[in-house]
Amino acid sequence: MAQMDRLLFGDNQFFGINHMSEEKARAQAMRFQETQAIMDVLDVAYDAGIRTFACTTHDRIAQVAERVRADPARYADFTFYPCMPYAHKYANAVTEHGMMGALREFMPKDGLFATALTGARTLATKEVEGIEKVLIDMEMKMFRGTKTPVIFMQNVFVDLLLGMGFTRAFRIFHDHVKTEYGAEPGYITMNMPMLLDALEREGIERPIICSNINKIGFRMSGGYDAYLDALRSGRVRAIAMSVYASGAIPADEAIHWISELPGVESILFGASSAANIHGTKALVDRYMGREAAA
Amino acid sequence: MNKPIRTAPIDIAVVGLGKMGLSHFSMVNAHPLANTVACDGAGFMVDVLSRNVSAPIHKDYDKMLAETKLDAVVIATPSRLHAPMVRAALDRGLHVFCEKPFCLDWSDGMALADLAEAKGVVNQVGYHYRYVGAFREMKRILDTGALGRVTHVLAEAYGPVVLRPKRATWRTQKEEGGGCLYDYAAHPLNLLNWFFGAPSRVTGSALVSVFSEGTDDQVMSTVQWPDGPTAQLSVNWSDESYRKMSTKITIVGTNGRLYADRQECQLYLRERHDALPDYVAGWNVKYTTELTEDAWFYLRGEEYSGQLDDFITAVAERKTAAAENSFRSAAETDRVMAMILENAETGQPVGEAQAPAAKPARRGFFGFGGR
């Protein structure tokens, strides 16, 4: 099973997502309006030895993938961890076209399922499975010709399905990502302990799960203790995000604390400045050093 | 979850599996105190879910009420259906959580509030902004009186819902409870009701269509409280520059300025106040991170989980009223929206100015009605 890098670079900062302030979010959206501004930051991260970019399947990411494909010499080790789907794309489509219309919107117009989705008849179980696979393939199109060793399902979808108990969708995702893309499936969630149990019931062992893990327990739903129990159990390959709890924990203290947790393989973080990128990289090398040796 | 659970689970139905209903179903179904069923008449969702989740999915609301043992229902159907469906549940003595807006005719809302109170059941409406940490802090600060005399309020909501002319759904039909007023403006208005009670006068309202044929895409209004502040309402759901809905309230008083949105609460204090020992003179900022309590299950924000947790817990603990967002408080917001509609249509001020002999009581008969 392929090892993940210790430090993964995220993309929230590029798309006006900031959990602290709407003003900061807008300033970031302005700054990263041009794809070149995103590339400039990615270049800083890449040159600092951060090779993995975990990104939503936002339309703008297609342009980033384009740049990476166009310069294989420069980006020989550049790795994408696609996270799908970009939830707002779907949410807005549902508002605009209704549930069925949204689904049709994202399916190939002439495809096998276009007729199945007219709503005229009941969908067979096999067709539900087929639709999920086609949706995954549509999202993966933009990454053609790049490295995508881990593919994630986004937290809003994961948690919606988890709450409803529609866990078979996780299994379909798992199987399709493995067979079609030769990649490891990953799941982003705000409810890690509950998801871990659900994945195990679907026969998925030692899953890659990305969730908030931070010293103050911010957005660790299901409870801080349940998270630590899951990590200690060795049943999960964990990726920690929100390690700074949106800035509430000093960087050194945050990374040091994470480094002493069992079961955390990687940290996912986002930053826009070279200073913050280099700062986090230095802390991760210091407390979780493996890359230095790799 | 903050408190240990010692009560028996409740039987609860989530009715309507549209955009809100699906996420309510997910959150309720994940709640440790809920045995959950769902109900929706439409084909596709019912079809897919009934073969993929273990919770039973019903297709007929009346039949489900008649045949299924239930303690409570969550109503998340199109707004026009709220009143009859809520009444049917109350008639059977069930506790009811209903999505906002509550009722398109505010007198229906008041009648249902009377009925729910007479039955002694938990009654709650999904105005989730009252569960956002930053707005709760805003309410706490206001209630201390630290701002002095509040004179000036700006209530805003913007977002990217209707960005081009499009096919009609119930959300874009005024008669169905669609439109920017009911969908978006309802939220800041509900917060203003929470902070200041029922307004006495509405003027200068404009319900403007930008892209929608059947309804409004932007709402402006001036809302006044007797001996209280004047609020300017500015709402637009056709603003693509916002990634998602953003609601913000700014309040100016004689001792400072208070601002809140979903992420943060900012307070400028001219002079330090004894009731707020953790705030200094000058600027103070508190962020979501410190104002938020973790939910038992997180789907789209702590506020959505929090309101359902309060409802389910109140039912399980056999309470006879909701902790927040009672039918009566929601009907008050329905009434303000009716005032804005009337004002926009007639151009005449609505409220006290029209009837100077009206009761001088601060909250009219809404705060104290039926007692």
Side-chain angles (χ1 to χ4, degrees):
Chain A
M1 201 172 288
Q3 209 170 42
M4 295 185 288
D5 284 349
R6 280 294 191 206
L7 195 53
L8 316 174
F9 201 63
D11 72 347
N12 270 355
Q13 69 279 11
F14 298 142
F15 301 123
I17 300 168
N18 184 299
H19 300 302
M20 293 287 266
S21 149
E22 293 193 3
E23 244 168 86
K24 283 178 200 152
R26 176 176 291 177
Q28 287 172 332
M30 289 174 182
R31 177 177 161 192
F32 294 112
Q33 189 142 279
E34 301 298 326
T35 304
Q36 187 55 47
I38 296 178
M39 283 315 294
D40 290 344
V41 173
L42 287 176
D43 283 346
V44 169
Y46 187 71
D47 292 338
I50 304 166
R51 301 169 301 185
T52 304
F53 181 37
C55 53
T56 48
T57 51
H58 194 288
D59 292 339
R60 302 275 311 281
I61 294 297
Q63 297 165 29
V64 172
E66 193 68 37
R67 301 272 188 115
V68 168
R69 261 194 304 268
D71 197 348
R74 168 86 172 94
Y75 299 115
D77 293 324
F78 200 105
T79 302
F80 288 95
Y81 283 5
C83 309
M84 65 181 61
Y86 176 60
H88 283 286
K89 190 165 71 181
Y90 279 79
N92 292 343
V94 170
T95 309
E96 192 154 344
H97 305 286
M99 204 79 74
M100 293 290 284
L103 213 42
R104 274 197 298 273
E105 197 70 6
F106 292 105
M107 301 294 283
K109 298 287 170 279
D110 49 353
L112 191 58
F113 298 104
T115 43
L117 284 173
T118 55
R121 62 177 177 81
T122 302
L123 286 175
T125 305
K126 274 280 168 223
E127 285 173 322
V128 172
E129 194 170 323
I131 287 167
E132 182 175 345
K133 288 178 181 173
V134 173
L135 288 176
I136 296 169
D137 294 343
M138 296 294 280
E139 298 285 308
M140 284 301 290
K141 267 188 179 167
M142 68 174 75
F143 298 103
R144 201 169 284 155
T146 65
K147 294 190 194 65
T148 57
V150 181
I151 300 173
F152 285 96
M153 191 189 281
Q154 266 292 11
N155 57 292
V156 174
F157 263 55
V158 167
D159 292 332
L160 179 68
L161 294 165
L162 175 66
M164 294 195 296
F166 196 155
T167 54
R168 200 172 71 88
F170 301 145
R171 182 78 219 186
I172 297 169
F173 182 79
H174 173 276
D175 294 348
H176 191 62
V177 162
K178 285 218 170 210
T179 55
E180 189 66 28
Y181 297 94
E184 282 293 316
Y187 304 85
I188 308 176
T189 182
M190 293 291 162
N191 308 282
M192 191 264 269
M194 189 191 288
L195 176 66
L196 177 57
D197 289 343
L199 291 175
E200 287 178 344
R201 281 196 300 274
E202 286 293 336
I204 300 170
E205 282 178 21
R206 290 208 74 223
I208 295 175
I209 300 182
C210 179
S211 64
N212 279 17
I213 300 176
N214 54 64
K215 197 178 177 180
I216 62 170
F218 175 57
R219 284 199 181 139
M220 292 167 61
S221 302
Y224 188 81
D225 294 337
Y227 272 67
L228 295 193
D229 287 347
L231 292 174
R232 289 196 196 99
S233 73
R235 290 150 55 209
V236 55
R237 301 179 64 193
I239 298 173
M241 60 177 183
S242 267
V243 293
Y244 300 137
S246 296
I249 312 169
D252 190 293
E253 185 183 335
I255 304 286
H256 187 193
W257 181 81
I258 290 278
S259 73
E260 295 185 334
L261 287 179
V264 176
E265 292 191 17
S266 308
I267 287 176
L268 171 62
F269 86 113
S272 327
S273 74
N276 285 343
I277 292 170
H278 290 136
T280 297
K281 179 72 167 82
L283 286 171
V284 167
D285 285 346
R286 178 164 151 218
Y287 289 117
M288 302 174 74
R290 180 180 70 196
E291 247 121 58
Chain B
M1 202 132 16
N2 307 313
K3 41 197 181 285
I5 302 281
R6 291 275 178 271
T7 40
I10 62 164
D11 295 307
I12 180 168
V14 177
V15 184
L17 293 172
K19 219 173 149 189
M20 283 310 299
L22 263 190
S23 82
H24 282 324
F25 172 53
S26 179
M27 287 181 277
V28 171
N29 192 50
H31 199 284
L33 272 181
N35 293 325
T36 313
V37 302
C39 179
D40 193 326
F44 178 67
M45 260 305 141
V46 171
D47 208 45
V48 170
L49 287 185
S50 52
R51 273 177 298 149
N52 285 286
V53 307
S54 58
I57 316 283
H58 297 270
K59 291 183 181 176
D60 185 310
Y61 180 64
D62 293 326
K63 197 157 170 269
M64 177 187 75
L65 288 186
E67 295 172 3
T68 312
K69 182 188 160 291
L70 288 171
D71 298 299
V73 291
V74 173
I75 304 290
T77 51
S79 313
R80 151 182 82 77
L81 300 172
H82 288 176
M85 293 181 108
V86 167
R87 183 173 293 280
L90 290 177
D91 283 341
R92 292 178 180 273
L94 302 183
H95 306 275
V96 180
F97 179 103
C98 182
E99 244 323 305
K100 53 67 56 175
F102 183 33
C103 295
L104 299 182
D105 179 340
W106 65 270
S107 59
D108 281 348
M110 287 298 173
L112 291 173
D114 290 341
L115 181 58
E117 286 163 16
K119 295 262 181 187
V121 294
V122 180
N123 56 96
Q124 191 175 336
V125 175
Y127 278 109
H128 55 262
Y129 277 99
R130 291 191 186 185
Y131 283 83
V132 170
F135 289 117
R136 289 181 98 96
E137 182 66 0
M138 177 172 250
K139 165 82 169 151
R140 185 181 78 88
I141 291 168
L142 274 175
D143 287 350
T144 63
L147 267 192
R149 186 166 59 86
V150 172
T151 57
H152 184 148
V153 177
L154 177 60
E156 302 167 276
Y158 307 103
V161 178
V162 178
L163 298 173
R164 56 190 66 85
K166 63 170 191 177
R167 185 173 74 83
T169 71
W170 74 265
R171 284 182 193 279
T172 60
Q173 301 297 311
K174 197 179 256 174
E175 318 71 63
E176 300 268 306
C180 180
L181 175 68
Y182 284 116
D183 207 71
Y184 258 47
H187 286 293
L189 287 171
N190 180 261
L191 287 173
L192 295 185
N193 284 151
W194 196 33
F195 298 150
F196 307 113
S200 55
R201 185 174 152 96
V202 170
T203 54
S205 303
L207 298 176
V208 182
S209 165
V210 181
F211 299 113
S212 298
E213 275 176 30
T215 189
D216 47 284
D217 297 313
Q218 65 182 53
V219 181
M220 285 100 150
S221 187
T222 301
V223 183
Q224 289 168 283
W225 281 260
D227 308 319
T230 299
Q232 203 78 62
L233 177 74
S234 169
V235 180
N236 188 321
W237 75 357
S238 297
D239 184 348
E240 197 194 48
S241 72
Y242 286 82
R243 193 174 63 92
K244 57 181 185 180
M245 185 185 186
S246 170
T247 297
K248 23 193 167 192
I249 310 275
T250 309
I251 299 173
V252 184
T254 49
N255 192 39
R257 181 184 196 270
L258 179 58
Y259 167 88
D261 59 32
R262 192 172 171 267
Q263 315 290 352
E264 59 186 324
C265 182
Q266 306 172 342
L267 173 62
Y268 181 87
L269 273 184
R270 294 178 66 189
E271 279 174 35
R272 214 193 135 273
H273 195 276
D274 286 342
L276 293 175
D278 47 341
Y279 284 87
V280 298
W283 282 106
N284 301 263
V285 186
K286 290 199 179 187
Y287 294 105
T288 330
T289 33
E290 53 188 307
L291 297 171
T292 292
E293 285 182 14
D294 269 342
W296 85 95
F297 179 76
Y298 181 106
L299 177 56
R300 50 190 298 185
E302 286 84 3
E303 63 272 31
Y304 293 95
S305 304
Q307 61 176 0
L308 288 170
D309 185 35
D310 263 9
F311 176 69
I312 292 168
T313 306
V315 174
E317 291 176 350
R318 300 175 197 287
K319 298 262 169 63
T320 54
E324 192 60 74
N325 287 328
S326 67
F327 282 1
R328 195 165 297 282
S329 73
E332 191 172 83
T333 301
D334 291 339
R335 178 186 171 256
V336 180
M337 290 192 282
M339 290 167 83
I340 290 174
L341 273 171
E342 187 188 329
N343 176 230
E345 271 163 27
T346 64
Q348 296 303 309
V350 175
E352 244 163 37
Q354 270 187 314
K359 277 177 236 160
R362 248 189 111 92
R363 301 187 180 212
F365 53 90
F366 299 103
F368 309 104
R371 302 293 166 87

